Amino acid sequence: LAKTTQPISMDSYEGQEVNITCSHNNIATNDYITWYQQFPSQGPRFIIQGYKTKVTNEVASLFIPADRKSSTLSLPRVSLSDTAVYYCLVGEISNTGKLIFGQGTTLQVKP
Amino acid sequence: DTGVSQNPRHKITKRGQNVTFRCDPISEHNRLYWYRQTLGQGPEFLTYFQNEAQLEKSRLLSDRFSAERPKGSFSTLEIQRTEQGDSAMYLCASSWDRGINQPQHFGDGTRLSIL
């Protein structure tokens, strides 16, 4: 599975747009990019998934450039409740579908 | 709420004791996963079931660990002769295997503390 690199931590303020970039230089042709969010004492929660260009849902947008060697999770107008750890995962969903998590990015939203 | 349910939420036990955790997946999901998460780290894959068959086990799953999923419904994870290093959050997730890249839905975990 492709290795991912993302910032260990980020700070933001309420109402701002937050962009978290993930590098995955060794992404393979069949790999998808998936982001999960995790609050303290809770399990990870699926946010968004994409293969190329742009994907948007009610929670976030995912931007993937043409070379797919990186991706950016965009959270519009964050609030204090968006304080969490965000994980970028890259890989082909194999027959098992197991997920390989890195350390993630701890986002701290301040008032 | 029909999400993934894990019990108990917290377990404190003495070293050397056996513990068992239960996971009830989303009812229509036929895939079930167990992960372990220690403080400051992302979850680590332990094992995977497709219906009642255990199809993959991580090297993290020593012979003191055993998981079952009878009848392809709920699952249990047992740790025998617990050690200090077993202290962690144990997460269960489930998904549907139809279509491409179905997201996994996680429970809120069982936090195990070994005294």
Side-chain angles (χ1 to χ4, degrees):
Chain A
L1 294 172
K3 178 179 170 60
T4 61
T5 302
Q6 51 183 125
I8 295 295
S9 64
M10 293 182 67
D11 289 340
S12 183
Y13 291 92
E14 281 191 294
Q16 288 188 333
E17 178 185 72
V18 170
N19 296 308
I20 305 175
T21 297
C22 179
S23 297
H24 28 80
N25 292 320
N26 297 324
I27 190 168
T29 303
N30 294 332
D31 286 345
Y32 279 73
I33 301 156
T34 310
W35 287 80
Y36 279 78
Q37 173 193 56
Q38 187 175 26
F39 298 113
S41 299
Q42 293 187 23
R45 183 173 73 99
F46 172 83
I47 301 176
I48 197 166
Q49 180 176 264
Y51 183 80
K52 62 180 179 180
T53 63
K54 176 183 175 182
V55 179
T56 297
N57 62 22
E58 64 278 6
V59 176
S61 295
L62 179 59
F63 298 92
I64 306 168
D67 67 5
R68 303 200 327 120
K69 293 184 182 300
S70 67
S71 59
T72 299
L73 174 72
S74 181
L75 305 172
R77 298 181 297 282
V78 294
S79 64
L80 296 176
S81 63
D82 292 315
T83 294
V85 180
Y86 293 83
Y87 295 99
C88 166
L89 291 85
V90 172
E92 177 184 7
I93 303 302
S94 65
N95 290 333
T96 68
K98 68 182 180 185
L99 300 175
I100 308 296
F101 288 84
Q103 275 194 296
T105 297
T106 299
L107 172 66
Q108 179 71 50
V109 180
K110 302 175 181 178
Chain B
D1 185 88
T2 57
V4 177
S5 176
Q6 293 189 245
N7 288 288
R9 290 297 314 279
H10 304 276
K11 180 70 176 178
I12 301 173
T13 192
K14 294 181 179 179
R15 186 180 55 166
Q17 297 295 305
N18 299 342
V19 294
T20 300
F21 311 140
R22 177 180 170 122
C23 171
D24 287 275
I26 294 172
S27 58
E28 61 268 27
H29 286 177
N30 54 352
R31 290 183 166 186
L32 187 145
Y33 307 81
W34 285 97
Y35 295 82
R36 182 174 70 184
Q37 185 174 26
T38 54
L39 198 61
Q41 303 298 315
E44 297 172 291
F45 170 78
L46 291 178
T47 190
Y48 153 71
F49 289 85
Q50 176 87 15
N51 299 311
E52 67 275 10
Q54 187 175 18
L55 298 184
E56 185 169 345
K57 293 193 292 185
S58 162
R59 283 174 289 180
L60 293 174
L61 214 65
S62 75
D63 55 8
R64 296 185 298 107
F65 288 70
S66 62
E68 294 181 344
R69 192 183 183 196
K71 302 178 183 178
S73 55
F74 71 93
S75 176
T76 58
L77 178 67
E78 181 183 15
I79 309 174
Q80 296 182 326
R81 305 181 303 282
T82 53
E83 301 174 354
Q84 292 281 354
D86 297 332
S87 294
M89 173 79 84
Y90 290 84
L91 293 161
C92 175
S94 69
S95 71
W96 187 229
D97 70 349
R98 300 290 174 87
I100 297 176
N101 302 332
Q102 293 293 322
Q104 292 183 22
H105 298 259
F106 284 80
D108 286 336
T110 294
R111 181 167 296 283
L112 175 64
S113 298
I114 307 297
L115 301 178

